[in-house]
Amino acid sequence: MPGSGLVLAATPIGDPRDASLRLVDALEHAHLVAAEDTRRLKRLAAMLEIHVGGRIVAYHEHNEATLTGDLVARMTAGEQVLLVTDAGMPSVSDPGYRLVTACVEADVPVTCLPGPSAVLVALALSGLPVDRFCFEGFCPRKPGERARRLADLADERRTMVFFEAPHRLAATLSAMSEAFGGDRPAAVCRELTKTYEEVRRGPLAELVEWAAGEVRGEITIVVGGGSPKTLDPDDALAAVLERIERGERLKNACKAVAAESGIPATQLYDAAVAARRE
């Protein structure tokens, strides 16, 4: 018999054979399965040739606010709730965060069955640096809001991962090209793990042209991080002195400007000390 608490379970992002043995066991034995789309869950169970043992309820963005309390009450009473979404890991651009937060506040155990992730698969296939990355989810739909969001990320040094709908792909890539520069390397990953999986790599300007045609399927975009800004040594020194005038400590000012300019902090420190003596 399963224990009590919340189990977050990753589901296949395409190929049903990626379902883990632990996911299969949990679907067969959980007291209750909360699914983003109950029809998709039943199709997955049919493809896996298993029977979902417990009660199935729909849990999605339109009812999670009202249903979360009931699920927590069930878990507090000793039931195990298995949370699955349409694909990938719950709470990553999918329902789940609200329920996890409620469980933490109620001291209800929460565990996870790891598995397929479009974010990690796209990163691995992108050919871009993966030592440091950030996940930005979906860009805003409105052009103005999207442009502002991307402008805020123009200096991001880490590799960035985005989700996008196919009908907005061309507009989003165009906005990225404007915000990051057309020569910024990127990759568009389409239909990951599925029959027609495709990865398009190249500078953003080139990907904008490609996306002008019809593109279908689930989309994950990976964009390389920005290069460090290079400031003239005199401008960098001026930036350090300006920070000091505003009350910042010399050591901290040098570290901050060094990160922006690429000039060693020790070099800036010595130059600032000499300038202040003069």
Side-chain angles (χ1 to χ4, degrees), residues 190-271:
R190 187 180 71 85
E191 294 291 85
L192 291 172
T193 78
K194 300 177 184 178
T195 302
Y196 298 104
E197 175 180 289
E198 179 182 19
V199 180
R200 282 276 183 159
R201 305 175 185 88
L204 282 169
E206 181 180 301
L207 293 175
V208 169
E209 292 184 13
W210 166 74
E214 186 178 17
V215 179
R216 297 181 179 181
E218 301 288 336
I219 303 292
T220 305
I221 306 171
V222 186
V223 183
S227 301
K229 289 183 177 179
T230 55
L231 292 179
D232 179 272
D234 291 336
D235 292 337
L237 174 58
V240 170
L241 297 176
E242 182 180 348
R243 284 173 172 268
I244 295 172
E245 289 179 3
R246 295 201 302 263
E248 193 169 342
R249 293 178 58 190
L250 174 57
K251 185 176 181 180
N252 293 339
C254 291
K255 284 185 177 180
V257 175
E260 297 174 355
S261 66
I263 299 174
T266 53
Q267 180 180 330
L268 292 171
Y269 186 94
D270 293 341

Side-chain angles (χ1 to χ4, degrees), residues 65-77:
T66 56
L67 193 57
T68 293
D70 176 63
L71 294 180
V72 172
R74 288 177 176 274
M75 288 181 276
T76 302

Side-chain angles (χ1 to χ4, degrees), residues 92-93 119 133-140 149-150 152-153 156 158-164 176 180 220-221 223:
V92 181
S93 286
V119 173
F133 65 90
C134 58
F135 175 60
E136 291 295 328
F138 285 90
C139 285
R149 171 76 65 80
L150 294 174
D152 289 340
L153 294 171
E156 174 58 62
R158 296 170 294 179
T159 298
M160 297 169 282
V161 184
F162 302 83
F163 287 160
E164 192 49 279
M176 288 178 172
F180 305 150
T220 305
I221 306 171
V223 183

Side-chain angles (χ1 to χ4, degrees), residues 99-117:
L99 184 56
V100 171
T101 300
C103 286
V104 171
E105 292 177 351
D107 200 27
V108 170
V110 180
T111 190
C112 180
L113 305 184
S117 165

Side-chain angles (χ1 to χ4, degrees), residues 2-3 5-7 26-27 29-35 41 52-59 67 70-71 74-75 79-84 99:
L6 176 64
V7 180
L27 287 171
H29 297 102
H31 297 115
L32 185 148
V33 180
L41 172 62
V52 178
R55 178 187 170 200
I56 300 174
V57 298
Y59 185 80
L67 193 57
D70 176 63
L71 294 180
R74 288 177 176 274
M75 288 181 276
E79 292 190 19
Q80 182 185 88
V81 173
L82 178 69
L83 178 63
V84 296
L99 184 56

